[in-house]
Amino acid sequence: MTELTVGALLRDWRRRRRLSQLDLALAVNVSTRHLSFVETGRSRPSAELVLALADGLDIPLRERNTLLLAAGYAPRYPVRPLEDTAMDPAREAVQRMLDAHDPYPGIVVDRAWNIVLANTSAAAITAGLPDELLGPPANVYRLSLHPEGLAKRTRNFGEWAAHLLQQLRRSVVLTGDPGLAALEAEVRAYPGVEEAVASVPASPLERAPLLLPFRLDLGNGTELSLFTTLTTFGTPRDVTLDELAVELFYPADDESARLLGGRGSTASALN
């Protein structure tokens, strides 16, 4: 396979972002002529121009390293494991978020939406699922959409699956990651997923809820209704940190708040 040049990679990212050469040139204060020369390989960009173009295209840090290598420069962004001592402040920060959020569920995911950290309440939600879904690593999309996972206990599965697939599509477009594209193809092929999404009726926006809840059947007529938030690091300079996100779940109604109200109550409600 022919290795792509930095110009070809930049052109691919520009087209993926649906920007013209003029749009990108204006955004990074470079002439369209010079940008055209870079994309066609007639001009070798400096490392600073590569990074400026990457910034204008909102390219993730991992792919910025790839662009620098393609242009003949050393990568600028380290890729440290989360267990590295240099990561202690960041790791401790997200762990504090998870601990403080208990008894509400909370998880930390990487770019592929593999769960790298979870609090006790989040672990209780997936208790009893097949080992092959629990990993390691456990993946949010596989856990949520596989017919032997949470799919069979999700009361609004069509709506929730549509939300998850839309979120996954955004991740694929943002990163261009072939692994994420393969994951999307995998989960869309799970039995019942596409049918469930297609069965969701369109509802007027004025009647739609403010937040789409995740409605989990706990058995005996009991339902846990949750909405989620995502938190990312604001100024990451490490690829691992750039790709981490903290997903926190909150009760969407009074009954769910009551079920989650006491420490350890999630585990007891699910068992």
Side-chain angles (χ1 to χ4, degrees), residues 63 111 172 175-184:
E63 281 68 35
R111 178 161 93 168
V172 171
T175 65
D177 187 339
L180 277 174
L183 176 63
E184 181 186 21

Side-chain angles (χ1 to χ4, degrees), residues 92-239:
E92 291 168 2
V94 294
Q95 188 63 61
R96 281 196 297 271
M97 290 178 69
L98 294 180
D99 293 342
H101 197 64
D102 195 55
Y104 298 163
I107 59 175
V108 180
V109 296
D110 63 16
R111 178 161 93 168
W113 288 81
N114 295 317
I115 300 173
V116 296
L117 292 171
N119 65 11
T120 302
S121 296
I125 287 178
T126 59
L129 295 184
D131 290 342
E132 57 267 26
L133 291 179
L134 294 175
N139 181 273
V140 167
Y141 292 106
R142 293 189 179 101
L143 287 171
S144 301
L145 298 172
H146 195 281
E148 295 304 313
L150 294 175
K152 60 184 177 182
R153 293 163 48 195
T154 303
R155 288 188 173 178
N156 60 333
F157 180 65
E159 287 182 310
W160 192 244
H163 158 69
L164 290 176
L165 291 175
Q166 183 183 45
Q167 180 177 261
L168 180 53
R169 177 98 293 264
R170 277 200 307 269
S171 295
V172 171
V173 171
L174 175 65
T175 65
D177 187 339
L180 277 174
L183 176 63
E184 181 186 21
E186 174 191 333
V187 298
R188 282 186 180 275
Y190 288 162
V193 170
E194 293 286 11
E195 294 84 351
V197 171
S199 69
V200 178
S203 59
L205 286 177
E206 62 269 17
R207 296 214 310 264
L210 293 176
L211 294 164
L212 178 66
F214 167 47
R215 298 170 53 203
L216 186 66
D217 187 353
L218 301 183
N220 300 318
T222 305
E223 175 184 299
L224 189 63
S225 185
L226 305 167
F227 67 86
T228 76
T229 65
L230 281 176
T231 303
T232 58
F233 286 95
T235 54
R237 289 298 178 187
D238 177 275
V239 172

Side-chain angles (χ1 to χ4, degrees), residues 21 36 174 185 216 248:
Q21 284 188 343
S36 176
L174 175 65
L216 186 66
L248 301 178

Side-chain angles (χ1 to χ4, degrees), residues 240-264:
T240 300
L241 293 184
D242 184 49
E243 296 175 349
L244 285 185
V246 182
E247 184 167 27
L248 301 178
F249 294 77
Y250 294 85
D253 55 37
D254 291 341
E255 177 60 17
S256 297
R258 185 190 66 79
L259 287 169
L260 294 170
R263 190 164 296 275

